[in-house]
Amino acid sequence: MSDIFEIFGEFSYVGPLIVLFLMNLSPILMPPNWLILSSFYALDDSMNLIVLVVIGATASTAGRFVLKQLVSRFKNYSNETSNLTVIGNYLNKKKYGYVISSFVFAVTPLPDNILFVAYGLIKAKSIGMYAGFWVGKIIAFYVMLTISPVILIPFTKIFEN
């Protein structure tokens, strides 16, 4: 795993962009994005924290956008309606339904890949889902990258011994 960080770390900010984008294409559970981003930050502490946070949020949002589009295409092969349609109708009626739901999933440890799979299945069409997710990731990444040196260093020392 450290080889991946070393290889992509040579690309400066493009490394985290590529890794996070590819990770966010996955519909199954992956390591937390903030952990990957903080690993890049730990390898190269000359990176600007704000720039890294914005790149991380943008890569995560772009990856989830592509995931949603892929799931929407697979939905074309199924004519089934489900309870997700009820949820989609509810979110469509609420002015900020997609914004709030995406924001909540982005700032909490809830698995947001499942959210975007559901968005794809209901063929959600709202820019708000991406805006809420992006803002939520900005906040979450900033908080986690700010505290990660305090949290991650003790863990690495524990495992070194």
Side-chain angles (χ1 to χ4, degrees):
M1 186 68 144
S2 63
D3 294 337
I4 292 171
F5 292 115
E6 290 175 15
I7 292 168
F8 284 101
E10 294 176 11
F11 300 119
S12 185
Y13 294 105
V14 178
L17 181 92
I18 293 169
V19 171
L20 285 177
F21 175 77
L22 293 174
M23 280 182 51
N24 281 281
L25 292 176
S26 173
I28 57 173
L29 296 175
M30 296 293 284
N33 288 332
W34 69 266
L35 187 59
I36 301 301
L37 207 55
S38 63
S39 298
F40 277 105
Y41 188 56
L43 284 175
D44 185 3
D45 58 357
S46 68
M47 288 183 167
N48 183 315
L49 180 69
I50 300 299
V51 172
L52 190 59
V53 164
V54 170
I55 285 173
T58 303
S60 295
T61 305
R64 293 303 185 207
F65 171 80
V66 173
L67 174 64
K68 182 198 152 297
Q69 298 304 317
L70 291 172
V71 171
S72 291
R73 296 215 196 285
F74 287 117
K75 175 66 174 157
N76 290 336
Y77 299 110
S78 172
N79 292 330
E80 291 182 30
T81 58
S82 67
N83 292 337
L84 288 175
T85 307
V86 174
I87 294 170
N89 292 337
Y90 176 78
L91 290 174
N92 286 327
K93 290 177 188 173
K94 299 297 177 187
K95 186 174 184 178
Y96 298 109
Y98 286 110
V99 175
I100 292 169
S101 61
S102 296
F103 179 83
V104 167
F105 271 78
V107 296
T108 62
L110 295 171
D112 50 68
N113 54 345
I114 294 169
L115 177 70
F116 282 90
V117 167
Y119 283 165
L121 291 173
I122 62 174
K123 296 188 180 238
K125 294 181 179 171
S126 172
I127 193 72
M129 72 181 87
Y130 304 111
F133 186 75
W134 188 78
V135 170
K137 283 296 182 186
I138 291 276
I139 293 168
F141 287 162
Y142 182 78
V143 168
M144 295 310 290
L145 286 176
T146 303
I147 65 172
S148 67
V150 176
I151 295 170
L152 292 179
I153 291 174
F155 281 125
T156 58
K157 288 185 179 182
I158 289 171
F159 291 115
E160 282 178 358
N161 295 335

mmCIF file of all heavy atoms in Angstrom, residues 4-43:
data_model
loop_
_atom_site.group_PDB
_atom_site.id
_atom_site.type_symbol
_atom_site.label_atom_id
_atom_site.label_comp_id
_atom_site.label_asym_id
_atom_site.label_seq_id
_atom_site.Cartn_x
_atom_site.Cartn_y
_atom_site.Cartn_z
ATOM 1 N N ILE A 4 1.908 2.471 -3.434
ATOM 2 C CA ILE A 4 0.936 3.275 -4.169
ATOM 3 C C ILE A 4 1.111 4.743 -3.827
ATOM 4 O O ILE A 4 1.120 5.606 -4.711
ATOM 5 C CB ILE A 4 -0.504 2.809 -3.863
ATOM 6 C CG1 ILE A 4 -0.739 1.422 -4.437
ATOM 7 C CG2 ILE A 4 -1.530 3.792 -4.401
ATOM 8 C CD1 ILE A 4 -2.035 0.781 -4.026
ATOM 9 N N PHE A 5 1.276 5.037 -2.535
ATOM 10 C CA PHE A 5 1.442 6.426 -2.129
ATOM 11 C C PHE A 5 2.741 7.008 -2.664
ATOM 12 O O PHE A 5 2.794 8.172 -3.047
ATOM 13 C CB PHE A 5 1.395 6.560 -0.604
ATOM 14 C CG PHE A 5 0.036 6.259 -0.033
ATOM 15 C CD1 PHE A 5 -0.146 5.173 0.802
ATOM 16 C CD2 PHE A 5 -1.064 7.039 -0.346
ATOM 17 C CE1 PHE A 5 -1.390 4.886 1.324
ATOM 18 C CE2 PHE A 5 -2.311 6.761 0.165
ATOM 19 C CZ PHE A 5 -2.471 5.673 1.004
ATOM 20 N N GLU A 6 3.789 6.202 -2.687
ATOM 21 C CA GLU A 6 5.061 6.687 -3.213
ATOM 22 C C GLU A 6 4.971 6.952 -4.714
ATOM 23 O O GLU A 6 5.469 7.963 -5.203
ATOM 24 C CB GLU A 6 6.179 5.689 -2.915
ATOM 25 C CG GLU A 6 6.542 5.629 -1.451
ATOM 26 C CD GLU A 6 7.575 4.560 -1.137
ATOM 27 O OE1 GLU A 6 8.223 4.056 -2.073
ATOM 28 O OE2 GLU A 6 7.709 4.221 0.040
ATOM 29 N N ILE A 7 4.336 6.046 -5.447
ATOM 30 C CA ILE A 7 4.207 6.217 -6.901
ATOM 31 C C ILE A 7 3.376 7.450 -7.221
ATOM 32 O O ILE A 7 3.793 8.325 -7.981
ATOM 33 C CB ILE A 7 3.586 4.958 -7.551
ATOM 34 C CG1 ILE A 7 4.567 3.788 -7.455
ATOM 35 C CG2 ILE A 7 3.198 5.233 -9.001
ATOM 36 C CD1 ILE A 7 3.953 2.448 -7.801
ATOM 37 N N PHE A 8 2.181 7.524 -6.639
ATOM 38 C CA PHE A 8 1.298 8.650 -6.936
ATOM 39 C C PHE A 8 1.735 9.925 -6.226
ATOM 40 O O PHE A 8 1.373 11.018 -6.648
ATOM 41 C CB PHE A 8 -0.152 8.306 -6.594
ATOM 42 C CG PHE A 8 -0.799 7.394 -7.590
ATOM 43 C CD1 PHE A 8 -0.932 6.045 -7.336
ATOM 44 C CD2 PHE A 8 -1.248 7.901 -8.796
ATOM 45 C CE1 PHE A 8 -1.526 5.204 -8.259
ATOM 46 C CE2 PHE A 8 -1.836 7.071 -9.734
ATOM 47 C CZ PHE A 8 -1.977 5.715 -9.467
ATOM 48 N N GLY A 9 2.500 9.800 -5.160
ATOM 49 C CA GLY A 9 2.997 10.968 -4.446
ATOM 50 C C GLY A 9 3.972 11.786 -5.267
ATOM 51 O O GLY A 9 4.143 12.983 -5.041
ATOM 52 N N GLU A 10 4.610 11.158 -6.232
ATOM 53 C CA GLU A 10 5.542 11.866 -7.101
ATOM 54 C C GLU A 10 4.834 12.861 -8.012
ATOM 55 O O GLU A 10 5.459 13.760 -8.550
ATOM 56 C CB GLU A 10 6.330 10.865 -7.954
ATOM 57 C CG GLU A 10 7.249 9.986 -7.157
ATOM 58 C CD GLU A 10 7.946 8.946 -8.009
ATOM 59 O OE1 GLU A 10 7.888 9.031 -9.249
ATOM 60 O OE2 GLU A 10 8.551 8.043 -7.418
ATOM 61 N N PHE A 11 3.540 12.711 -8.192
ATOM 62 C CA PHE A 11 2.777 13.590 -9.075
ATOM 63 C C PHE A 11 2.205 14.798 -8.347
ATOM 64 O O PHE A 11 1.314 15.453 -8.868
ATOM 65 C CB PHE A 11 1.642 12.820 -9.748
ATOM 66 C CG PHE A 11 2.102 11.678 -10.592
ATOM 67 C CD1 PHE A 11 1.704 10.389 -10.296
ATOM 68 C CD2 PHE A 11 2.922 11.885 -11.679
ATOM 69 C CE1 PHE A 11 2.114 9.325 -11.079
ATOM 70 C CE2 PHE A 11 3.338 10.830 -12.473
ATOM 71 C CZ PHE A 11 2.936 9.548 -12.165
ATOM 72 N N SER A 12 2.656 15.072 -7.138
ATOM 73 C CA SER A 12 2.179 16.186 -6.336
ATOM 74 C C SER A 12 0.677 16.073 -6.110
ATOM 75 O O SER A 12 0.220 15.046 -5.627
ATOM 76 C CB SER A 12 2.560 17.517 -6.992
ATOM 77 O OG SER A 12 2.198 18.583 -6.165
ATOM 78 N N TYR A 13 -0.077 17.084 -6.477
ATOM 79 C CA TYR A 13 -1.512 17.089 -6.223
ATOM 80 C C TYR A 13 -2.296 16.191 -7.174
ATOM 81 O O TYR A 13 -3.437 15.826 -6.886
ATOM 82 C CB TYR A 13 -2.063 18.521 -6.318
ATOM 83 C CG TYR A 13 -1.545 19.428 -5.240
ATOM 84 C CD1 TYR A 13 -0.579 20.385 -5.511
ATOM 85 C CD2 TYR A 13 -2.029 19.328 -3.942
ATOM 86 C CE1 TYR A 13 -0.101 21.218 -4.516
ATOM 87 C CE2 TYR A 13 -1.557 20.154 -2.935
ATOM 88 C CZ TYR A 13 -0.593 21.100 -3.228
ATOM 89 O OH TYR A 13 -0.132 21.913 -2.240
ATOM 90 N N VAL A 14 -1.708 15.825 -8.283
ATOM 91 C CA VAL A 14 -2.394 14.961 -9.245
ATOM 92 C C VAL A 14 -2.522 13.539 -8.689
ATOM 93 O O VAL A 14 -3.494 12.840 -8.967
ATOM 94 C CB VAL A 14 -1.665 14.964 -10.613
ATOM 95 C CG1 VAL A 14 -2.334 14.032 -11.600
ATOM 96 C CG2 VAL A 14 -1.592 16.375 -11.175
ATOM 97 N N GLY A 15 -1.568 13.118 -7.870
ATOM 98 C CA GLY A 15 -1.616 11.784 -7.273
ATOM 99 C C GLY A 15 -2.867 11.555 -6.444
ATOM 100 O O GLY A 15 -3.628 10.607 -6.696
ATOM 101 N N PRO A 16 -3.129 12.422 -5.448
ATOM 102 C CA PRO A 16 -4.363 12.236 -4.670
ATOM 103 C C PRO A 16 -5.622 12.371 -5.523
ATOM 104 O O PRO A 16 -6.601 11.677 -5.289
ATOM 105 C CB PRO A 16 -4.321 13.352 -3.623
ATOM 106 C CG PRO A 16 -2.929 13.841 -3.604
ATOM 107 C CD PRO A 16 -2.275 13.468 -4.884
ATOM 108 N N LEU A 17 -5.575 13.233 -6.520
ATOM 109 C CA LEU A 17 -6.717 13.407 -7.413
ATOM 110 C C LEU A 17 -7.059 12.097 -8.119
ATOM 111 O O LEU A 17 -8.210 11.652 -8.120
ATOM 112 C CB LEU A 17 -6.423 14.504 -8.442
ATOM 113 C CG LEU A 17 -7.547 14.792 -9.416
ATOM 114 C CD1 LEU A 17 -8.419 15.907 -8.882
ATOM 115 C CD2 LEU A 17 -6.991 15.156 -10.766
ATOM 116 N N ILE A 18 -6.053 11.447 -8.675
ATOM 117 C CA ILE A 18 -6.268 10.192 -9.410
ATOM 118 C C ILE A 18 -6.724 9.081 -8.472
ATOM 119 O O ILE A 18 -7.693 8.372 -8.745
ATOM 120 C CB ILE A 18 -4.989 9.773 -10.156
ATOM 121 C CG1 ILE A 18 -4.672 10.764 -11.278
ATOM 122 C CG2 ILE A 18 -5.114 8.359 -10.722
ATOM 123 C CD1 ILE A 18 -3.294 10.583 -11.887
ATOM 124 N N VAL A 19 -6.036 8.924 -7.349
ATOM 125 C CA VAL A 19 -6.361 7.838 -6.416
ATOM 126 C C VAL A 19 -7.780 8.001 -5.859
ATOM 127 O O VAL A 19 -8.566 7.045 -5.848
ATOM 128 C CB VAL A 19 -5.321 7.745 -5.280
ATOM 129 C CG1 VAL A 19 -5.767 6.778 -4.201
ATOM 130 C CG2 VAL A 19 -3.968 7.336 -5.830
ATOM 131 N N LEU A 20 -8.128 9.210 -5.416
ATOM 132 C CA LEU A 20 -9.464 9.414 -4.857
ATOM 133 C C LEU A 20 -10.556 9.284 -5.915
ATOM 134 O O LEU A 20 -11.629 8.748 -5.641
ATOM 135 C CB LEU A 20 -9.560 10.777 -4.167
ATOM 136 C CG LEU A 20 -8.865 10.847 -2.821
ATOM 137 C CD1 LEU A 20 -8.945 12.247 -2.244
ATOM 138 C CD2 LEU A 20 -9.443 9.848 -1.845
ATOM 139 N N PHE A 21 -10.292 9.753 -7.118
ATOM 140 C CA PHE A 21 -11.281 9.597 -8.186
ATOM 141 C C PHE A 21 -11.548 8.118 -8.439
ATOM 142 O O PHE A 21 -12.702 7.687 -8.493
ATOM 143 C CB PHE A 21 -10.808 10.290 -9.468
ATOM 144 C CG PHE A 21 -11.727 10.068 -10.632
ATOM 145 C CD1 PHE A 21 -12.917 10.772 -10.727
ATOM 146 C CD2 PHE A 21 -11.425 9.139 -11.613
ATOM 147 C CE1 PHE A 21 -13.791 10.553 -11.791
ATOM 148 C CE2 PHE A 21 -12.278 8.913 -12.682
ATOM 149 C CZ PHE A 21 -13.464 9.629 -12.770
ATOM 150 N N LEU A 22 -10.496 7.334 -8.572
ATOM 151 C CA LEU A 22 -10.659 5.904 -8.843
ATOM 152 C C LEU A 22 -11.336 5.185 -7.673
ATOM 153 O O LEU A 22 -12.167 4.294 -7.883
ATOM 154 C CB LEU A 22 -9.307 5.264 -9.157
ATOM 155 C CG LEU A 22 -8.654 5.714 -10.472
ATOM 156 C CD1 LEU A 22 -7.253 5.117 -10.604
ATOM 157 C CD2 LEU A 22 -9.527 5.358 -11.669
ATOM 158 N N MET A 23 -10.996 5.560 -6.452
ATOM 159 C CA MET A 23 -11.624 4.928 -5.282
ATOM 160 C C MET A 23 -13.120 5.212 -5.239
ATOM 161 O O MET A 23 -13.907 4.363 -4.827
ATOM 162 C CB MET A 23 -10.993 5.443 -3.989
ATOM 163 C CG MET A 23 -9.694 4.798 -3.639
ATOM 164 S SD MET A 23 -9.062 5.411 -2.076
ATOM 165 C CE MET A 23 -10.443 5.210 -0.995
ATOM 166 N N ASN A 24 -13.509 6.413 -5.655
ATOM 167 C CA ASN A 24 -14.916 6.804 -5.575
ATOM 168 C C ASN A 24 -15.756 6.252 -6.709
ATOM 169 O O ASN A 24 -16.966 6.453 -6.740
ATOM 170 C CB ASN A 24 -15.032 8.327 -5.483
ATOM 171 C CG ASN A 24 -14.741 8.800 -4.082
ATOM 172 O OD1 ASN A 24 -15.588 8.718 -3.208
ATOM 173 N ND2 ASN A 24 -13.526 9.259 -3.847
ATOM 174 N N LEU A 25 -15.143 5.552 -7.636
ATOM 175 C CA LEU A 25 -15.896 4.855 -8.682
ATOM 176 C C LEU A 25 -16.465 3.535 -8.166
ATOM 177 O O LEU A 25 -17.347 2.953 -8.782
ATOM 178 C CB LEU A 25 -14.994 4.558 -9.885
ATOM 179 C CG LEU A 25 -14.523 5.746 -10.701
ATOM 180 C CD1 LEU A 25 -13.563 5.276 -11.782
ATOM 181 C CD2 LEU A 25 -15.687 6.488 -11.306
ATOM 182 N N SER A 26 -15.957 3.085 -7.047
ATOM 183 C CA SER A 26 -16.325 1.777 -6.528
ATOM 184 C C SER A 26 -17.681 1.815 -5.821
ATOM 185 O O SER A 26 -17.906 2.644 -4.941
ATOM 186 C CB SER A 26 -15.256 1.297 -5.546
ATOM 187 O OG SER A 26 -15.676 0.113 -4.930
ATOM 188 N N PRO A 27 -18.579 0.886 -6.171
ATOM 189 C CA PRO A 27 -19.862 0.816 -5.468
ATOM 190 C C PRO A 27 -19.773 0.046 -4.146
ATOM 191 O O PRO A 27 -20.754 -0.031 -3.421
ATOM 192 C CB PRO A 27 -20.765 0.088 -6.462
ATOM 193 C CG PRO A 27 -19.833 -0.761 -7.243
ATOM 194 C CD PRO A 27 -18.534 -0.001 -7.318
ATOM 195 N N ILE A 28 -18.618 -0.542 -3.862
ATOM 196 C CA ILE A 28 -18.454 -1.278 -2.607
ATOM 197 C C ILE A 28 -17.614 -0.456 -1.648
ATOM 198 O O ILE A 28 -17.008 0.538 -2.027
ATOM 199 C CB ILE A 28 -17.803 -2.666 -2.841
ATOM 200 C CG1 ILE A 28 -16.451 -2.519 -3.540
ATOM 201 C CG2 ILE A 28 -18.732 -3.553 -3.647
ATOM 202 C CD1 ILE A 28 -15.675 -3.801 -3.653
ATOM 203 N N LEU A 29 -17.567 -0.891 -0.403
ATOM 204 C CA LEU A 29 -16.841 -0.142 0.617
ATOM 205 C C LEU A 29 -15.340 -0.116 0.345
ATOM 206 O O LEU A 29 -14.742 -1.128 -0.020
ATOM 207 C CB LEU A 29 -17.108 -0.738 1.997
ATOM 208 C CG LEU A 29 -18.556 -0.658 2.466
ATOM 209 C CD1 LEU A 29 -18.705 -1.379 3.789
ATOM 210 C CD2 LEU A 29 -19.014 0.768 2.593
ATOM 211 N N MET A 30 -14.768 1.047 0.527
ATOM 212 C CA MET A 30 -13.339 1.278 0.330
ATOM 213 C C MET A 30 -12.811 1.943 1.595
ATOM 214 O O MET A 30 -13.581 2.357 2.455
ATOM 215 C CB MET A 30 -13.123 2.202 -0.875
ATOM 216 C CG MET A 30 -13.570 1.611 -2.198
ATOM 217 S SD MET A 30 -12.600 0.204 -2.720
ATOM 218 C CE MET A 30 -11.118 0.976 -3.305
ATOM 219 N N PRO A 31 -11.483 2.088 1.715
ATOM 220 C CA PRO A 31 -10.951 2.828 2.866
ATOM 221 C C PRO A 31 -11.486 4.257 2.861
ATOM 222 O O PRO A 31 -11.805 4.802 1.801
ATOM 223 C CB PRO A 31 -9.436 2.823 2.632
ATOM 224 C CG PRO A 31 -9.181 1.766 1.628
ATOM 225 C CD PRO A 31 -10.429 1.584 0.842
ATOM 226 N N PRO A 32 -11.571 4.867 4.024
ATOM 227 C CA PRO A 32 -12.075 6.250 4.075
ATOM 228 C C PRO A 32 -11.206 7.189 3.227
ATOM 229 O O PRO A 32 -9.981 7.102 3.254
ATOM 230 C CB PRO A 32 -11.980 6.621 5.549
ATOM 231 C CG PRO A 32 -11.870 5.333 6.278
ATOM 232 C CD PRO A 32 -11.246 4.350 5.342
ATOM 233 N N ASN A 33 -11.865 8.084 2.518
ATOM 234 C CA ASN A 33 -11.152 9.043 1.682
ATOM 235 C C ASN A 33 -10.195 9.914 2.482
ATOM 236 O O ASN A 33 -9.099 10.223 2.025
ATOM 237 C CB ASN A 33 -12.143 9.938 0.934
ATOM 238 C CG ASN A 33 -12.876 9.212 -0.162
ATOM 239 O OD1 ASN A 33 -12.376 8.253 -0.731
ATOM 240 N ND2 ASN A 33 -14.080 9.655 -0.461
ATOM 241 N N TRP A 34 -10.617 10.321 3.677
ATOM 242 C CA TRP A 34 -9.770 11.202 4.470
ATOM 243 C C TRP A 34 -8.474 10.495 4.864
ATOM 244 O O TRP A 34 -7.429 11.133 4.987
ATOM 245 C CB TRP A 34 -10.497 11.732 5.704
ATOM 246 C CG TRP A 34 -10.770 10.690 6.743
ATOM 247 C CD1 TRP A 34 -11.900 9.958 6.892
ATOM 248 C CD2 TRP A 34 -9.871 10.249 7.771
ATOM 249 N NE1 TRP A 34 -11.761 9.080 7.940
ATOM 250 C CE2 TRP A 34 -10.530 9.241 8.499
ATOM 251 C CE3 TRP A 34 -8.583 10.604 8.145
ATOM 252 C CZ2 TRP A 34 -9.944 8.600 9.576
ATOM 253 C CZ3 TRP A 34 -8.001 9.958 9.227
ATOM 254 C CH2 TRP A 34 -8.680 8.973 9.933
ATOM 255 N N LEU A 35 -8.536 9.183 5.064
ATOM 256 C CA LEU A 35 -7.341 8.431 5.432
ATOM 257 C C LEU A 35 -6.342 8.415 4.278
ATOM 258 O O LEU A 35 -5.135 8.588 4.482
ATOM 259 C CB LEU A 35 -7.729 7.008 5.842
ATOM 260 C CG LEU A 35 -6.640 6.128 6.419
ATOM 261 C CD1 LEU A 35 -6.041 6.751 7.664
ATOM 262 C CD2 LEU A 35 -7.186 4.760 6.738
ATOM 263 N N ILE A 36 -6.842 8.240 3.074
ATOM 264 C CA ILE A 36 -5.984 8.271 1.892
ATOM 265 C C ILE A 36 -5.392 9.666 1.719
ATOM 266 O O ILE A 36 -4.191 9.828 1.494
ATOM 267 C CB ILE A 36 -6.789 7.862 0.634
ATOM 268 C CG1 ILE A 36 -7.380 6.460 0.786
ATOM 269 C CG2 ILE A 36 -5.940 7.989 -0.620
ATOM 270 C CD1 ILE A 36 -6.379 5.363 1.019
ATOM 271 N N LEU A 37 -6.242 10.673 1.851
ATOM 272 C CA LEU A 37 -5.790 12.046 1.678
ATOM 273 C C LEU A 37 -4.769 12.436 2.753
ATOM 274 O O LEU A 37 -3.756 13.075 2.450
ATOM 275 C CB LEU A 37 -6.998 12.986 1.733
ATOM 276 C CG LEU A 37 -6.907 14.297 1.002
ATOM 277 C CD1 LEU A 37 -6.559 14.091 -0.456
ATOM 278 C CD2 LEU A 37 -8.209 15.059 1.123
ATOM 279 N N SER A 38 -4.991 12.030 3.982
ATOM 280 C CA SER A 38 -4.045 12.350 5.045
ATOM 281 C C SER A 38 -2.734 11.587 4.882
ATOM 282 O O SER A 38 -1.675 12.068 5.293
ATOM 283 C CB SER A 38 -4.656 12.090 6.420
ATOM 284 O OG SER A 38 -4.962 10.732 6.574
ATOM 285 N N SER A 39 -2.780 10.428 4.246
ATOM 286 C CA SER A 39 -1.537 9.702 3.963
ATOM 287 C C SER A 39 -0.690 10.461 2.945
ATOM 288 O O SER A 39 0.532 10.547 3.088
ATOM 289 C CB SER A 39 -1.847 8.303 3.436
ATOM 290 O OG SER A 39 -2.538 7.553 4.400
ATOM 291 N N PHE A 40 -1.331 11.012 1.921
ATOM 292 C CA PHE A 40 -0.595 11.846 0.969
ATOM 293 C C PHE A 40 -0.026 13.082 1.664
ATOM 294 O O PHE A 40 1.097 13.486 1.391
ATOM 295 C CB PHE A 40 -1.505 12.282 -0.193
ATOM 296 C CG PHE A 40 -1.626 11.252 -1.275
ATOM 297 C CD1 PHE A 40 -2.774 10.492 -1.403
ATOM 298 C CD2 PHE A 40 -0.596 11.041 -2.171
ATOM 299 C CE1 PHE A 40 -2.893 9.543 -2.399
ATOM 300 C CE2 PHE A 40 -0.701 10.094 -3.177
ATOM 301 C CZ PHE A 40 -1.851 9.338 -3.288
ATOM 302 N N TYR A 41 -0.816 13.662 2.542
ATOM 303 C CA TYR A 41 -0.379 14.857 3.267
ATOM 304 C C TYR A 41 0.793 14.532 4.193
ATOM 305 O O TYR A 41 1.726 15.318 4.322
ATOM 306 C CB TYR A 41 -1.551 15.429 4.057
ATOM 307 C CG TYR A 41 -1.294 16.765 4.695
ATOM 308 C CD1 TYR A 41 -0.891 17.851 3.933
ATOM 309 C CD2 TYR A 41 -1.478 16.952 6.055
ATOM 310 C CE1 TYR A 41 -0.665 19.084 4.515
ATOM 311 C CE2 TYR A 41 -1.260 18.181 6.645
ATOM 312 C CZ TYR A 41 -0.851 19.241 5.875
ATOM 313 O OH TYR A 41 -0.632 20.459 6.464
ATOM 314 N N ALA A 42 0.770 13.361 4.801
ATOM 315 C CA ALA A 42 1.866 12.951 5.682
ATOM 316 C C ALA A 42 3.150 12.687 4.891
ATOM 317 O O ALA A 42 4.249 12.955 5.382
ATOM 318 C CB ALA A 42 1.466 11.709 6.470
ATOM 319 N N LEU A 43 3.016 12.164 3.678
ATOM 320 C CA LEU A 43 4.189 11.900 2.852
ATOM 321 C C LEU A 43 4.843 13.179 2.345
ATOM 322 O O LEU A 43 6.058 13.225 2.166
ATOM 323 C CB LEU A 43 3.814 11.021 1.655
ATOM 324 C CG LEU A 43 3.592 9.558 1.953
ATOM 325 C CD1 LEU A 43 3.105 8.833 0.700
ATOM 326 C CD2 LEU A 43 4.868 8.912 2.462
#
